[in-house]
Amino acid sequence: MAMTLTILGLALATFLLRYLPLAALSRTTLPPWAEDWLRLVPVAVLAASLAQALLYPDDALWIAWNNPYLFAAVPTFLVARRTRSVLRTMLTGMACYALLTAVL
C-alpha cells in the first residue's frame, strides 16, 4: 500500500510540476525576448545530453581516436541535418556505432 501511495504521489507531483507553469503561462503573453530565449532551451538541453553521452560514456572523459561515440556522431549529425528524418538519423547512428565498435 505504501508503494502504491508513493507512486501515486510522485505521479501527481510530476503532473502538477508540468501542468501549473503551462496553465499559468497560457493566460499571459510573454515578451518577444522571452519567447526567443525559451525557443533555445530544447536545443541547449539536447546539446548538454549529447555532450555527456559522447564525451563521458563511462563516467570518465574520453576524447581519443578510438571513441566510437564521437566518430558515429559525425555522420549521424550530417544525416539529421540533411534529411530532418528521425528514423534515418537513428538508423544512421546505430549503423555507424555498430560498424565502429566492430572496427575499433
Side-chain angles (χ1 to χ4, degrees):
M1 185 67 171
M3 182 68 78
T4 303
L5 290 175
T6 302
I7 292 172
L8 289 175
L10 290 172
L12 178 64
T14 301
F15 173 76
L16 290 176
L17 284 173
R18 292 172 189 255
Y19 177 75
L20 290 178
L22 183 64
L25 290 176
S26 67
R27 297 177 188 199
T28 62
T29 303
L30 294 174
W33 64 267
E35 289 182 10
D36 290 340
W37 183 80
L38 287 173
R39 281 192 195 98
L40 298 175
V41 171
V43 176
V45 169
L46 179 62
S49 298
L50 283 175
Q52 182 178 2
L54 296 176
L55 300 175
Y56 292 90
D58 295 321
D59 294 331
L61 183 61
W62 187 16
I63 300 176
W65 64 271
N66 61 345
N67 184 346
Y69 300 103
L70 283 177
F71 284 117
V74 174
T76 304
F77 173 77
L78 294 174
V79 167
R81 181 92 169 136
R82 182 166 172 92
T83 66
R84 307 267 186 203
S85 168
V86 174
L87 181 61
R88 288 181 186 167
T89 302
M90 288 174 45
L91 292 175
T92 301
M94 289 187 296
C96 290
Y97 178 76
L99 179 69
L100 287 169
T101 53
V103 171
L104 297 177

XYZ file of all heavy atoms in Angstrom:
807
model
N 0.821 -1.198 0.000
C 0.000 0.000 0.000
C 0.865 1.263 0.000
O 0.553 2.231 -0.688
C -0.929 -0.025 1.211
C -1.901 1.113 1.241
S -3.053 0.939 -0.127
C -4.212 2.184 0.267
N 1.938 1.231 0.778
C 2.820 2.400 0.846
C 3.473 2.664 -0.507
O 3.630 3.824 -0.915
C 3.884 2.193 1.916
N 3.842 1.585 -1.212
C 4.459 1.743 -2.536
C 3.466 2.358 -3.518
O 3.831 3.248 -4.293
C 4.940 0.379 -3.048
C 5.636 0.456 -4.377
S 7.214 1.294 -4.322
C 8.225 0.026 -3.656
N 2.227 1.919 -3.483
C 1.199 2.455 -4.372
C 0.968 3.936 -4.094
O 0.885 4.747 -5.023
C -0.117 1.678 -4.206
O 0.137 0.292 -4.461
C -1.181 2.182 -5.150
N 0.876 4.303 -2.826
C 0.686 5.713 -2.475
C 1.891 6.566 -2.872
O 1.732 7.703 -3.317
C 0.407 5.853 -0.980
C -0.952 5.324 -0.516
C -1.066 5.418 1.000
C -2.075 6.083 -1.196
N 3.076 6.003 -2.751
C 4.278 6.726 -3.164
C 4.263 6.981 -4.667
O 4.547 8.090 -5.130
C 5.541 5.940 -2.767
O 5.549 5.737 -1.363
C 6.797 6.675 -3.200
N 3.926 5.956 -5.429
C 3.865 6.100 -6.890
C 2.796 7.104 -7.288
O 3.025 7.971 -8.150
C 3.629 4.727 -7.560
C 4.864 3.851 -7.379
C 3.289 4.882 -9.028
C 4.689 2.423 -7.815
N 1.632 7.025 -6.675
C 0.562 7.978 -6.997
C 0.951 9.398 -6.597
O 0.670 10.355 -7.330
C -0.733 7.562 -6.304
C -1.408 6.312 -6.869
C -2.620 5.942 -6.019
C -1.809 6.508 -8.309
N 1.606 9.547 -5.462
C 2.055 10.873 -5.025
C 3.099 11.452 -5.980
O 3.049 12.638 -6.325
N 4.039 10.641 -6.407
C 5.046 11.103 -7.353
C 4.430 11.433 -8.713
O 4.848 12.396 -9.372
C 6.150 10.061 -7.499
C 7.051 9.892 -6.277
C 7.993 8.705 -6.449
C 7.845 11.160 -6.032
N 3.457 10.645 -9.125
C 2.778 10.928 -10.395
C 2.032 12.262 -10.308
O 2.073 13.070 -11.247
C 1.811 9.796 -10.739
N 1.370 12.512 -9.196
C 0.659 13.770 -9.003
C 1.633 14.950 -8.975
O 1.382 15.986 -9.603
C -0.163 13.729 -7.716
C -0.932 15.001 -7.369
C -1.996 15.283 -8.426
C -1.550 14.885 -5.993
N 2.744 14.786 -8.274
C 3.744 15.862 -8.215
C 4.316 16.157 -9.593
O 4.480 17.322 -9.978
C 4.849 15.481 -7.245
N 4.608 15.118 -10.363
C 5.134 15.301 -11.712
C 4.119 16.012 -12.590
O 4.459 16.936 -13.341
C 5.500 13.941 -12.324
O 6.485 13.318 -11.495
C 6.048 14.101 -13.727
N 2.863 15.597 -12.488
C 1.814 16.238 -13.283
C 1.691 17.717 -12.926
O 1.633 18.576 -13.811
C 0.476 15.527 -13.065
C -0.671 16.231 -13.717
C -0.859 16.160 -15.091
C -1.555 16.991 -12.957
C -1.910 16.817 -15.693
C -2.608 17.657 -13.559
C -2.791 17.565 -14.927
N 1.657 18.022 -11.644
C 1.493 19.414 -11.216
C 2.685 20.273 -11.626
O 2.508 21.430 -12.035
C 1.268 19.485 -9.717
C -0.086 18.952 -9.232
C -0.148 18.979 -7.710
C -1.227 19.750 -9.838
N 3.890 19.724 -11.525
C 5.077 20.489 -11.915
C 5.100 20.796 -13.414
O 5.709 21.768 -13.845
C 6.341 19.737 -11.519
C 6.683 19.777 -10.041
C 7.850 18.851 -9.734
C 6.998 21.188 -9.603
N 4.436 19.987 -14.191
C 4.386 20.243 -15.631
C 3.158 21.060 -16.027
O 3.206 21.857 -16.941
C 4.392 18.922 -16.394
C 5.708 18.203 -16.274
C 5.638 16.827 -16.874
N 6.833 16.085 -16.566
C 7.796 15.840 -17.426
N 7.700 16.289 -18.650
N 8.851 15.160 -17.067
N 2.058 20.836 -15.330
C 0.807 21.482 -15.722
C 0.701 22.923 -15.230
O 0.238 23.795 -15.975
C -0.384 20.671 -15.208
C -1.707 21.315 -15.526
C -2.218 21.281 -16.820
C -2.429 21.987 -14.542
C -3.415 21.884 -17.125
C -3.629 22.599 -14.841
C -4.118 22.542 -16.129
O -5.305 23.143 -16.437
N 1.081 23.183 -13.999
C 0.882 24.515 -13.428
C 1.612 25.620 -14.207
O 0.997 26.653 -14.507
C 1.277 24.521 -11.951
C 0.332 23.740 -11.033
C 0.839 23.755 -9.602
C -1.085 24.277 -11.111
N 2.888 25.459 -14.563
C 3.514 26.521 -15.372
C 2.851 26.682 -16.741
O 2.684 27.798 -17.234
C 4.961 26.058 -15.522
C 5.186 25.118 -14.407
C 3.866 24.472 -14.148
N 2.447 25.576 -17.338
C 1.774 25.642 -18.631
C 0.446 26.373 -18.516
O 0.117 27.227 -19.344
C 1.555 24.233 -19.184
C 0.924 24.128 -20.557
C 1.840 24.752 -21.607
C 0.651 22.688 -20.904
N -0.301 26.073 -17.476
C -1.584 26.742 -17.271
C -1.391 28.224 -16.981
O -2.137 29.068 -17.478
C -2.340 26.072 -16.127
N -0.385 28.562 -16.195
C -0.148 29.969 -15.858
C 0.336 30.759 -17.071
O -0.093 31.887 -17.293
C 0.866 30.063 -14.725
N 1.224 30.169 -17.850
C 1.779 30.887 -18.997
C 0.824 30.949 -20.189
O 0.976 31.806 -21.047
C 3.107 30.257 -19.426
C 4.266 30.468 -18.472
C 5.496 29.709 -18.953
C 4.584 31.942 -18.323
N -0.149 30.060 -20.232
C -1.078 30.084 -21.356
C -2.032 31.283 -21.283
O -2.631 31.653 -22.285
C -1.891 28.788 -21.411
O -2.756 28.713 -20.296
N -2.132 31.899 -20.134
C -3.033 33.042 -19.961
C -2.312 34.381 -20.066
O -2.926 35.418 -19.931
C -3.725 32.945 -18.610
C -4.583 31.713 -18.526
C -5.209 31.547 -17.189
N -5.843 30.234 -17.166
C -6.768 29.891 -16.331
N -7.173 30.740 -15.415
N -7.292 28.696 -16.367
N -1.008 34.345 -20.256
C -0.249 35.579 -20.356
C 0.483 35.629 -21.693
O 0.675 34.616 -22.351
C 0.794 35.691 -19.229
O 1.711 34.609 -19.366
C 0.155 35.658 -17.872
N 0.877 36.810 -22.069
C 1.670 36.997 -23.273
C 3.092 37.335 -22.862
O 3.321 38.295 -22.125
C 1.090 38.141 -24.139
O -0.271 37.843 -24.435
C 1.875 38.294 -25.412
N 4.006 36.529 -23.324
C 5.403 36.763 -22.995
C 6.002 37.794 -23.938
O 5.618 37.871 -25.106
C 6.193 35.458 -23.111
C 5.834 34.363 -22.127
C 6.592 33.087 -22.465
C 6.164 34.791 -20.715
N 6.971 38.549 -23.470
C 7.651 39.478 -24.367
C 8.460 38.700 -25.413
O 8.841 37.549 -25.173
C 8.555 40.289 -23.444
C 8.620 39.543 -22.173
C 7.427 38.665 -22.095
N 8.707 39.329 -26.552
C 9.433 38.609 -27.623
C 10.794 38.079 -27.197
O 11.185 36.997 -27.616
C 9.580 39.673 -28.717
C 8.508 40.656 -28.454
C 8.272 40.647 -26.978
N 11.524 38.806 -26.336
C 12.835 38.324 -25.921
C 12.715 37.040 -25.110
O 13.565 36.154 -25.199
C 13.611 39.383 -25.138
C 12.967 39.762 -23.826
C 12.101 40.783 -23.612
C 13.134 39.094 -22.579
N 11.712 40.798 -22.293
C 12.337 39.767 -21.631
C 13.873 37.996 -22.153
C 12.253 39.380 -20.306
C 13.788 37.616 -20.820
C 12.987 38.305 -19.925
N 11.644 36.907 -24.317
C 11.449 35.698 -23.520
C 11.081 34.518 -24.417
O 11.538 33.394 -24.194
C 10.370 35.917 -22.468
N 10.251 34.761 -25.428
C 9.905 33.692 -26.368
C 11.129 33.229 -27.144
O 11.314 32.028 -27.361
C 8.810 34.166 -27.314
C 7.465 34.315 -26.652
C 6.379 34.739 -27.619
O 6.622 34.736 -28.846
O 5.283 35.074 -27.146
N 11.977 34.184 -27.549
C 13.207 33.818 -28.253
C 14.113 32.979 -27.354
O 14.709 31.991 -27.795
C 13.955 35.067 -28.718
C 13.229 35.790 -29.840
O 12.388 35.156 -30.511
O 13.508 36.993 -30.038
N 14.229 33.361 -26.097
C 15.062 32.631 -25.152
C 14.508 31.228 -24.913
O 15.268 30.252 -24.869
C 15.147 33.416 -23.853
C 16.032 32.769 -22.851
C 17.386 32.811 -22.804
C 15.613 31.961 -21.740
N 17.842 32.088 -21.733
C 16.778 31.544 -21.060
C 14.384 31.546 -21.254
C 16.748 30.750 -19.927
C 14.337 30.747 -20.137
C 15.507 30.361 -19.494
N 13.197 31.107 -24.750
C 12.589 29.805 -24.483
C 12.708 28.857 -25.675
O 12.723 27.638 -25.492
C 11.124 29.982 -24.079
C 10.907 30.537 -22.681
C 9.427 30.837 -22.455
C 11.415 29.577 -21.629
N 12.806 29.392 -26.887
C 12.993 28.535 -28.056
C 14.358 27.850 -28.038
O 14.543 26.810 -28.661
C 12.855 29.348 -29.344
C 11.440 29.621 -29.716
C 11.330 30.170 -31.138
N 10.011 30.746 -31.317
C 9.741 32.038 -31.217
N 10.696 32.911 -30.990
N 8.519 32.469 -31.378
N 15.317 28.416 -27.334
C 16.663 27.847 -27.283
C 16.818 26.772 -26.215
O 17.802 26.025 -26.234
C 17.685 28.961 -27.033
C 17.758 30.040 -28.099
C 18.719 31.129 -27.672
C 18.161 29.448 -29.440
N 15.891 26.665 -25.299
C 16.009 25.718 -24.193
C 16.075 24.266 -24.673
O 16.973 23.521 -24.246
C 14.886 25.932 -23.159
C 14.858 24.821 -22.119
C 15.057 27.278 -22.481
N 15.186 23.793 -25.570
C 15.296 22.388 -26.006
C 16.627 22.079 -26.679
O 17.206 21.008 -26.464
C 14.132 22.211 -26.984
C 13.171 23.283 -26.646
C 13.991 24.427 -26.138
N 17.140 23.000 -27.471
C 18.422 22.782 -28.142
C 19.547 22.698 -27.116
O 20.441 21.850 -27.227
C 18.685 23.911 -29.165
C 20.048 23.762 -29.792
C 17.602 23.930 -30.218
N 19.510 23.541 -26.109
C 20.547 23.525 -25.074
C 20.500 22.231 -24.267
O 21.544 21.652 -23.954
C 20.384 24.728 -24.159
N 19.307 21.767 -23.945
C 19.173 20.522 -23.188
C 19.672 19.348 -24.028
O 20.396 18.470 -23.533
C 17.714 20.311 -22.736
C 17.496 18.918 -22.178
C 17.325 21.369 -21.715
N 19.317 19.314 -25.304
C 19.778 18.243 -26.188
C 21.292 18.277 -26.332
O 21.960 17.237 -26.277
C 19.116 18.364 -27.557
C 19.528 17.326 -28.594
C 19.152 15.924 -28.135
C 18.900 17.635 -29.929
N 21.871 19.455 -26.505
C 23.329 19.569 -26.638
C 24.036 19.088 -25.377
O 25.056 18.391 -25.454
C 23.706 21.007 -26.956
N 23.520 19.449 -24.229
C 24.137 19.007 -22.974
C 24.042 17.494 -22.819
O 25.005 16.842 -22.395
C 23.468 19.705 -21.794
N 22.905 16.924 -23.165
C 22.740 15.472 -23.068
C 23.667 14.746 -24.038
O 24.285 13.736 -23.689
C 21.294 15.075 -23.356
O 20.445 15.645 -22.408
N 23.762 15.253 -25.258
C 24.632 14.623 -26.247
C 26.100 14.750 -25.866
O 26.871 13.801 -26.021
C 24.401 15.237 -27.631
C 23.155 14.768 -28.353
C 22.975 15.545 -29.647
C 23.211 13.289 -28.625
N 26.495 15.904 -25.373
C 27.892 16.082 -24.969
C 28.259 15.099 -23.868
O 29.341 14.504 -23.889
C 28.121 17.516 -24.519
N 27.378 14.918 -22.934
C 27.656 13.974 -21.845
C 27.734 12.547 -22.383
O 28.615 11.778 -22.005
C 26.584 14.068 -20.774
C 26.858 13.155 -19.598
C 25.827 13.281 -18.512
O 24.873 14.021 -18.630
N 26.010 12.555 -17.444
N 26.822 12.180 -23.277
C 26.822 10.819 -23.810
C 28.026 10.554 -24.711
O 28.560 9.444 -24.729
C 25.531 10.574 -24.590
N 28.475 11.564 -25.462
C 29.583 11.370 -26.391
C 30.946 11.460 -25.720
O 31.868 10.739 -26.084
C 29.517 12.407 -27.516
C 28.303 12.345 -28.428
C 28.342 13.487 -29.419
C 28.218 11.018 -29.140
N 31.077 12.343 -24.757
C 32.387 12.593 -24.161
C 32.609 11.858 -22.838
O 33.750 11.656 -22.435
C 32.582 14.092 -23.943
C 32.522 14.950 -25.201
C 32.608 16.421 -24.845
C 33.616 14.563 -26.172
N 31.553 11.474 -22.156
C 31.652 10.794 -20.872
C 30.845 9.487 -20.878
O 29.964 9.295 -20.042
C 31.124 11.682 -19.741
C 31.972 12.889 -19.454
C 31.747 14.087 -20.108
C 32.991 12.821 -18.526
C 32.521 15.194 -19.847
C 33.773 13.925 -18.253
C 33.532 15.115 -18.916
O 34.308 16.205 -18.654
N 31.118 8.567 -21.791
C 30.287 7.360 -21.853
C 30.418 6.451 -20.632
O 29.472 5.777 -20.263
C 30.766 6.659 -23.117
C 32.130 7.180 -23.360
C 32.156 8.575 -22.806
N 31.593 6.425 -20.005
C 31.799 5.570 -18.828
C 32.176 6.389 -17.606
O 33.026 5.988 -16.811
C 32.892 4.538 -19.131
C 32.475 3.576 -20.229
O 31.290 3.192 -20.239
O 33.328 3.223 -21.058
N 31.554 7.549 -17.468
C 31.804 8.458 -16.346
C 33.251 8.938 -16.272
O 33.746 9.263 -15.198
C 31.398 7.812 -15.021
C 29.898 7.587 -14.944
O 29.162 8.363 -15.571
O 29.477 6.647 -14.254
N 33.918 8.953 -17.406
C 35.274 9.496 -17.494
C 35.413 10.141 -18.865
O 34.897 9.629 -19.859
C 36.310 8.408 -17.309
N 36.106 11.256 -18.909
C 36.302 11.964 -20.167
C 37.065 11.084 -21.145
O 38.130 10.558 -20.828
C 37.064 13.273 -19.932
C 37.282 14.151 -21.153
C 35.952 14.577 -21.749
C 38.113 15.363 -20.792
N 36.504 10.915 -22.356
C 37.112 10.039 -23.360
C 37.168 10.769 -24.690
O 36.261 10.677 -25.505
C 36.319 8.746 -23.479
C 36.945 7.705 -24.345
C 38.235 7.655 -24.780
C 36.303 6.548 -24.885
N 38.442 6.540 -25.542
C 37.269 5.837 -25.625
C 35.018 6.045 -24.811
C 36.968 4.654 -26.287
C 34.733 4.873 -25.472
C 35.695 4.183 -26.209
N 38.227 11.511 -24.903
C 38.464 12.171 -26.183
C 39.682 11.488 -26.792
O 40.824 11.788 -26.427
C 38.724 13.681 -26.011
C 37.518 14.337 -25.358
C 39.013 14.331 -27.354
C 37.693 15.798 -25.062
N 39.424 10.552 -27.679
C 40.501 9.774 -28.283
C 40.078 9.306 -29.667
O 38.903 9.358 -30.030
C 40.839 8.579 -27.402
N 41.050 8.843 -30.414
C 40.771 8.394 -31.776
C 39.940 7.121 -31.794
O 39.337 6.783 -32.803
C 42.077 8.171 -32.542
C 42.908 7.061 -31.953
C 43.850 7.170 -30.982
C 42.827 5.686 -32.282
N 44.376 5.948 -30.680
C 43.769 5.008 -31.471
C 42.074 4.936 -33.176
C 43.954 3.637 -31.530
C 42.269 3.573 -33.226
C 43.201 2.937 -32.412
N 39.903 6.380 -30.713
C 39.143 5.127 -30.676
C 37.805 5.262 -29.950
O 37.248 4.276 -29.495
C 39.980 4.024 -30.033
C 40.365 4.339 -28.606
O 40.262 5.476 -28.155
N 40.823 3.329 -27.888
N 37.278 6.463 -29.844
C 35.965 6.686 -29.234
C 34.900 6.543 -30.323
O 34.695 7.454 -31.124
C 35.903 8.077 -28.598
C 34.602 8.328 -27.878
O 33.632 7.594 -28.046
N 34.564 9.373 -27.086
N 34.189 5.425 -30.365
C 33.193 5.223 -31.430
C 31.998 6.167 -31.321
O 31.346 6.459 -32.317
C 32.766 3.765 -31.261
C 33.065 3.434 -29.838
C 34.258 4.275 -29.469
N 31.734 6.651 -30.125
C 30.612 7.573 -29.944
C 30.845 8.875 -30.709
O 29.949 9.376 -31.388
C 30.402 7.882 -28.459
C 30.099 6.680 -27.617
C 31.077 6.117 -26.803
C 28.842 6.098 -27.618
C 30.814 5.010 -26.018
C 28.568 4.994 -26.839
C 29.547 4.451 -26.045
O 29.269 3.355 -25.284
N 32.049 9.394 -30.604
C 32.366 10.645 -31.301
C 32.341 10.470 -32.814
O 31.780 11.288 -33.538
C 33.742 11.160 -30.873
C 33.817 11.829 -29.520
C 35.249 12.210 -29.200
C 32.937 13.046 -29.483
N 32.963 9.401 -33.303
C 33.018 9.185 -34.747
C 31.639 8.865 -35.330
O 31.334 9.256 -36.449
C 34.013 8.079 -35.093
C 35.430 8.537 -34.996
C 36.285 7.969 -34.077
C 35.906 9.547 -35.811
C 37.602 8.387 -33.979
C 37.215 9.977 -35.720
C 38.067 9.395 -34.804
N 30.796 8.167 -34.594
C 29.451 7.856 -35.077
C 28.558 9.095 -35.073
O 27.609 9.187 -35.845
C 28.823 6.755 -34.235
N 28.882 10.058 -34.225
C 28.063 11.266 -34.134
C 28.185 12.142 -35.378
O 27.232 12.829 -35.742
C 28.434 12.063 -32.900
N 29.330 12.115 -36.033
C 29.549 12.994 -37.183
C 28.613 12.651 -38.343
O 27.850 13.512 -38.804
C 31.030 12.983 -37.605
C 31.234 13.767 -38.889
C 31.894 13.534 -36.491
N 28.620 11.419 -38.875
C 27.674 11.131 -39.971
C 26.216 11.191 -39.519
O 25.336 11.556 -40.301
C 28.050 9.730 -40.436
C 28.882 9.157 -39.373
C 29.491 10.278 -38.612
N 25.977 10.882 -38.260
C 24.611 10.960 -37.745
C 24.112 12.396 -37.766
O 22.976 12.672 -38.177
C 24.550 10.388 -36.321
O 25.043 9.058 -36.337
C 23.139 10.407 -35.788
N 24.958 13.318 -37.344
C 24.595 14.728 -37.382
C 24.349 15.188 -38.816
O 23.396 15.922 -39.091
C 25.693 15.579 -36.742
C 25.466 17.053 -36.899
C 24.534 17.697 -36.111
C 26.158 17.788 -37.845
C 24.299 19.063 -36.251
C 25.947 19.141 -37.998
C 25.012 19.784 -37.200
N 25.193 14.769 -39.740
C 25.027 15.177 -41.144
C 23.720 14.650 -41.737
O 23.021 15.370 -42.452
C 26.228 14.707 -41.971
C 27.558 15.360 -41.605
C 28.692 14.716 -42.396
C 27.513 16.858 -41.827
N 23.382 13.413 -41.421
C 22.112 12.848 -41.907
C 20.935 13.580 -41.277
O 19.953 13.903 -41.955
C 22.048 11.330 -41.626
C 20.637 10.785 -41.834
C 23.035 10.595 -42.508
N 21.027 13.875 -39.996
C 19.939 14.593 -39.320
C 19.766 15.983 -39.924
O 18.639 16.433 -40.152
C 20.233 14.701 -37.829
N 20.872 16.639 -40.181
C 20.824 17.997 -40.736
C 20.255 18.008 -42.149
O 19.484 18.884 -42.506
C 22.241 18.574 -40.719
C 22.352 19.939 -41.232
C 22.206 20.916 -40.099
N 22.578 22.230 -40.589
C 21.893 23.303 -40.326
N 20.862 23.242 -39.534
N 22.256 24.453 -40.804
N 20.637 17.011 -42.932
C 20.216 16.992 -44.336
C 18.787 16.482 -44.518
O 18.020 17.036 -45.287
C 21.180 16.148 -45.154
C 20.856 16.104 -46.627
C 22.010 15.559 -47.424
N 21.626 15.352 -48.792
C 21.773 16.251 -49.753
N 22.283 17.421 -49.461
N 21.409 15.985 -50.982
N 18.427 15.406 -43.828
C 17.132 14.770 -44.084
C 16.027 15.224 -43.140
O 14.858 15.104 -43.483
C 17.243 13.246 -43.969
O 17.538 12.889 -42.622
C 18.292 12.698 -44.916
N 16.386 15.656 -41.926
C 15.397 16.013 -40.894
C 14.468 14.834 -40.569
O 13.323 15.007 -40.180
C 14.544 17.206 -41.307
C 15.308 18.410 -41.718
C 15.508 19.299 -40.553
N 16.146 20.537 -41.017
C 16.837 21.302 -40.233
N 16.976 20.986 -38.986
N 17.400 22.380 -40.680
N 14.976 13.631 -40.746
C 14.203 12.416 -40.503
C 14.734 11.735 -39.240
O 15.909 11.348 -39.189
C 14.320 11.467 -41.699
O 13.812 10.191 -41.371
N 13.869 11.558 -38.268
C 14.280 10.916 -37.023
C 14.657 9.464 -37.278
O 15.665 8.970 -36.761
C 13.147 11.010 -35.967
C 13.502 10.225 -34.721
C 12.866 12.454 -35.626
N 13.885 8.775 -38.107
C 14.159 7.362 -38.385
C 15.506 7.193 -39.086
O 16.323 6.362 -38.683
C 13.038 6.762 -39.227
C 13.195 5.287 -39.575
C 13.231 4.445 -38.307
C 12.076 4.842 -40.493
N 15.770 7.966 -40.109
C 17.057 7.867 -40.817
C 18.216 8.236 -39.906
O 19.281 7.628 -39.961
C 17.056 8.760 -42.054
C 16.184 8.237 -43.160
C 16.248 9.147 -44.354
N 15.301 8.702 -45.368
C 14.955 9.426 -46.400
N 15.466 10.633 -46.578
N 14.094 8.961 -47.282
N 18.010 9.225 -39.073
C 19.060 9.638 -38.143
C 19.372 8.520 -37.156
O 20.541 8.202 -36.913
C 18.637 10.908 -37.390
O 18.360 11.933 -38.348
C 19.703 11.369 -36.437
N 18.349 7.909 -36.600
C 18.560 6.819 -35.645
C 19.232 5.632 -36.309
O 20.168 5.044 -35.746
C 17.228 6.399 -35.019
C 16.691 7.408 -34.040
S 15.036 7.042 -33.411
C 15.116 5.341 -33.023
N 18.773 5.274 -37.497
C 19.375 4.140 -38.206
C 20.834 4.418 -38.556
O 21.689 3.538 -38.441
C 18.568 3.806 -39.457
C 17.173 3.228 -39.210
C 16.423 3.052 -40.523
C 17.267 1.911 -38.465
N 21.115 5.627 -38.981
C 22.500 6.001 -39.295
C 23.372 5.922 -38.053
O 24.476 5.368 -38.094
C 22.552 7.423 -39.888
O 21.757 7.468 -41.055
C 23.974 7.825 -40.218
N 22.902 6.473 -36.955
C 23.672 6.436 -35.718
C 23.938 5.021 -35.238
O 25.064 4.687 -34.849
N 22.920 4.176 -35.270
C 23.103 2.795 -34.826
C 24.043 2.034 -35.754
O 24.908 1.280 -35.288
C 21.746 2.093 -34.729
C 20.906 2.584 -33.577
S 19.388 1.644 -33.301
C 18.485 1.965 -34.796
N 23.886 2.227 -37.057
C 24.756 1.527 -38.012
C 26.207 1.991 -37.880
O 27.134 1.165 -37.879
C 24.253 1.752 -39.436
N 26.413 3.286 -37.759
C 27.778 3.802 -37.603
C 28.410 3.314 -36.311
O 29.578 2.926 -36.300
C 27.776 5.332 -37.659
S 27.424 5.995 -39.276
N 27.653 3.334 -35.244
C 28.185 2.883 -33.964
C 28.533 1.391 -34.031
O 29.593 0.988 -33.576
C 27.197 3.157 -32.833
C 27.698 2.657 -31.513
C 28.687 3.348 -30.817
C 27.213 1.472 -30.954
C 29.172 2.879 -29.612
C 27.698 1.006 -29.759
C 28.670 1.709 -29.087
O 29.150 1.234 -27.900
N 27.641 0.586 -34.612
C 27.914 -0.865 -34.715
C 29.154 -1.113 -35.573
O 30.005 -1.952 -35.219
C 26.703 -1.571 -35.302
N 29.270 -0.415 -36.674
C 30.432 -0.578 -37.544
C 31.722 -0.152 -36.839
O 32.740 -0.860 -36.901
C 30.233 0.225 -38.828
C 31.365 0.187 -39.832
C 31.462 -1.206 -40.449
C 31.163 1.209 -40.918
N 31.664 0.976 -36.170
C 32.869 1.475 -35.494
C 33.288 0.603 -34.317
O 34.486 0.430 -34.065
C 32.648 2.917 -35.040
C 32.660 3.925 -36.174
C 32.151 5.294 -35.676
C 34.039 4.071 -36.759
N 32.342 0.059 -33.577
C 32.725 -0.813 -32.461
C 33.328 -2.109 -32.990
O 34.190 -2.702 -32.341
C 31.542 -1.127 -31.543
O 30.456 -1.636 -32.306
C 31.111 0.106 -30.768
N 32.901 -2.557 -34.168
C 33.484 -3.757 -34.755
C 34.898 -3.476 -35.292
O 35.787 -4.321 -35.192
C 32.601 -4.283 -35.875
N 35.105 -2.276 -35.822
C 36.398 -1.928 -36.409
C 37.394 -1.461 -35.351
O 38.561 -1.850 -35.381
C 36.212 -0.817 -37.489
C 37.542 -0.291 -37.965
C 35.385 -1.342 -38.632
N 36.956 -0.633 -34.424
C 37.872 -0.107 -33.411
C 37.975 -1.092 -32.274
O 38.740 -1.124 -31.450
C 37.370 1.254 -32.899
C 37.291 2.377 -33.928
C 36.701 3.632 -33.305
C 38.664 2.702 -34.494
